Amino acid sequence: MRPFGYTRPAGLAEAGTAAAEGATLIAGGTNLLDLMKLQVAAPERLADIGHVPGLDGIEETETGLRIGALVTNSALAADPRIRKGWPVLSRAILAGASGQIRNRATTAGNLLQRTRCPYFQDPASACNKRVPGSGCPARGGVSRMTAILGTSENCIAAHPSDMAVAMVLLGAEAEIRAAAGTSRRLALPDLWRVPGDQPDEETTLQPGEIITAVHLPAPRGGAVQAYRKGARRNRDAGTGCLARP
């Protein structure tokens, strides 16, 4: 791991300024720290927003539920309101990662995980995500755990989040705050970019923008929700969400 600077913003305004000035934001760090250890990511400065007040609560609203960006995956999956009204989200979270990771991983951090494949995580390999224009060896090499939808000639890396799949199904929106203090809401599918010819650009967030919360619309009455995941360690094949009226 290379040397880096470290700051701890006291609030959202300070965090937005740090991000606009080029600092990399970190909260739970379950994805970023792994990439730093592998020398895949080498930020010059980290801004730790894990203690910024006002981002770790789950609130009921007139239209549904507001989930703070720093709510941990474990807390979100265990919340009785989520388990009752949006059970597909709880089950999707529990299907991903380990209990230790869920205890640290945050809502916003989960959504902003880097799309990845084995070549992206190997600095000795070419990768258009790490070094634009260097090539995509995954297309002609080992392609297990790569994407089959939303790909391009330049990248077939997959997004690893189970939670994101459920939130998209539920019609969730990200609440985004700019460094200037203005806010906007964005449907989750519009948060991520398809790789195209610039796979190193993964989201539509602008410099200085921070996800502050995720909004879930109220559940439909009588809806039945289920999440079924298939992985190499599981017997059943197929991954996805099911929700029917």
Side-chain angles (χ1 to χ4, degrees):
M1 189 179 293
R2 301 174 187 175
F4 56 87
Y6 176 85
T7 58
R8 179 177 285 188
L12 275 174
E14 189 177 335
T17 299
E21 293 175 349
T24 298
L25 301 183
I26 186 173
T30 56
N31 180 223
L32 179 59
L33 290 178
D34 281 345
L35 296 180
M36 291 173 67
K37 293 174 183 176
L38 292 171
Q39 302 291 310
V40 172
E44 294 185 359
R45 183 161 63 104
L46 295 181
D48 185 351
I49 63 170
H51 300 277
V52 170
L55 300 181
D56 60 352
I58 302 176
E59 311 166 50
E60 295 182 28
T61 68
E62 294 182 356
T63 58
L65 212 62
R66 182 182 184 273
I67 303 164
L70 296 182
V71 173
T72 66
N73 289 178
S74 290
L76 184 57
D79 189 280
R81 292 165 294 185
I82 294 292
R83 296 176 64 184
K84 180 180 179 181
W86 300 267
V88 67
L89 178 55
S90 179
R91 293 169 186 170
I93 293 172
L94 294 175
S98 64
Q100 293 91 333
I101 290 178
R102 293 196 297 268
N103 288 341
R104 289 292 302 167
T106 62
T107 297
N110 187 299
L111 297 176
L112 295 176
Q113 292 179 81
R114 299 293 305 274
T115 55
R116 54 186 182 260
C117 78
Y119 297 97
F120 169 68
Q121 298 182 98
D122 177 12
S125 300
C127 175
N128 286 323
K129 288 171 59 62
R130 282 187 285 101
V131 183
S134 62
C136 179
R139 296 200 66 86
V142 177
S143 58
R144 180 175 174 266
M145 303 290 288
T146 53
I148 57 174
L149 301 174
T151 64
S152 75
E153 290 298 315
N154 297 292
C155 184
I156 57 174
H159 197 286
S161 174
D162 291 89
M163 185 190 80
V165 175
M167 283 191 165
V168 168
L169 173 74
L170 295 169
E173 293 182 330
E175 176 186 297
I176 299 169
R177 184 187 187 278
T182 57
S183 295
R184 63 185 176 109
R185 295 259 291 264
L186 186 68
L188 279 192
D190 297 327
L191 173 64
W192 301 288
R193 296 178 185 270
V194 293
D197 59 359
Q198 292 182 297
D200 55 311
E201 297 184 6
E202 297 178 1
T203 76
T204 58
L205 294 178
Q206 301 300 309
E209 286 191 324
I210 300 173
I211 294 178
T212 51
V214 173
H215 290 261
L216 283 181
R220 292 179 296 172
V224 177
Q225 302 176 6
Y227 188 85
R228 184 177 182 181
K229 177 177 180 176
R232 189 160 188 158
R233 63 180 177 271
N234 295 338
R235 292 182 177 180
D236 297 325
T239 301
C241 288
L242 300 175
R244 64 174 178 82

